[in-house]
Amino acid sequence: MTPLFVLYEHASGYALFKVKEFEEISMLLPQVEASVTDLARFNGIVKLVSFFPFKTAIAALENVNAISEGIVPDDLALFLQSNLPKPKKEKFTLGVADAKLGAALNEAINVSCSHIGAVPEIIRGCRMHFANMVKGVTDKTAGVAQLGLGHSYSRAKVKFNVHRSDNMIIQSIALLDQLDKDINTFSMRIREWYSYHFPELIKIVPDNNMYAKVAHFIKDRKSLDETKLEGLEEIVMDSEKAQAIIDASKMSMGMDISQIDLMNIEMFAARVVRLADYRKELAEYLHSKMGSVAPNLQTLIGDQVGARLISKAGSLTNLAKYPASTVQILGAEKALFRALKTRGNTPKFGLLFHSSYIGRAGLKNKGRISRFLANKCVIASRIDCFTETPSNVFGESLKQQVEDRLKFYESGEVPRKNIEVMKEAMELQAQQVVANSEGKKKKKKDKKKRKNGEEENGNGVHEEENGNGDTTMEVDEPAPKKKKKKNKNKDQD
């Protein structure tokens, strides 16, 4: 029988427990679940081997951060090596709560770990009776340690995420999609509402945003005359349409409407117009953020598709870690699982379907260009994520590669190899870096010259106008320094 040791990570330190009669316990899992709630019965199964308390709260935070990332801290490695039997002399199993930590411990100290079977129930019992099984720890002190460590751990995670600009991209693209839905719904409501009064306007002005602006401008169709033609032309941007609106208002078959109803329609139309204007500002904000965070991905597939990929992945780092096969069907998870369940054809594209390349490809080549585009998106996202000097040089090269591949599918023209294209892009990137560094040096020199010039002007350079309007420069000669020293000496005497 191989003995079982269980590692429990608490906010106050590491605890190592030994489980008695592990083979029998694994066979009687329901009895273990029942004995967890009873301290006397649980003490008969589990025995404390050793406890390693954290010296400071900073040490506890460092250990928790390492464990959460799947890294074995030095304190934990030393604690286990000093308390566990040597693997060469005695075979045993170490129970852990996290599978990643078990794999890291296996690599670090060569210990076989398990996180299944009776291990989760035993860890649950250790968590429940921890204060009674470890000397010097009470329920109050354990709660204070957990609360303090939880606050510091959460604060560190939030601080880490605050400075990431891809979170702003995720929120802005989600808001942009929501605004599109809301504006479309509200515009349809204005169409139905205002059509009772002016039904002919829908055929003349089919655009939703323009319709809301025109309805807000016209208000009562009976008050519309030739004096408002210029205002209508500014909104519609077409003199013929503006004249058609005026002509239709004179012969409209719409019903008369009260002043209160018109006021409500006007207020609602103004709201929709403001929402549409804000949507344009948000699109510009997203364009600027994508240009600073993921310029290559933006150049390759555009602002909105690139932002949706980042949002679906959770962050730019997660997107960079994905393989191309995952990026290709990102956003089509339902169709994928349905195809796997019914053993049908798997989807060829997800969010990438909204890019212009797939629409330009033929039916036979849509899946091929989707796969190729996913490869290039992965390369662009990895460059954007890990580069120190962001630029869109690689994005332009990758975009040209996709264009060449589309030509290859249509005409058979063989595209250039990826190695050649990437070498040229790297040379261009190096040239840009050199040019930027030289530009910065020139700016610094110009600033220094300006400062020196300002100091010279401040030390006695005066401009005076003559009677003819010309300016003359008069420089006051500075007083000699020797005289000042003599005056000082005289004053001292």
Side-chain angles (χ1 to χ4, degrees), residues 21-48:
E21 301 175 355
F22 173 56
E23 295 293 337
E24 297 178 4
I25 287 171
S26 60
M27 295 294 291
L28 303 172
L29 188 58
Q31 286 80 346
V32 175
E33 294 176 359
S35 64
V36 163
T37 55
D38 188 6
L39 179 60
R41 292 174 65 184
F42 190 71
N43 278 330
I45 298 173
V46 180
K47 181 183 177 183
L48 178 66

Side-chain angles (χ1 to χ4, degrees), residues 413-432:
E413 184 181 349
V414 180
R416 298 170 63 195
K417 292 184 178 180
N418 188 42
I419 297 175
E420 297 176 2
V421 177
M422 288 296 105
K423 281 184 179 179
E424 287 185 5
M426 289 175 70
E427 290 175 0
L428 287 171
Q429 176 79 357
Q431 290 175 4
Q432 279 193 1

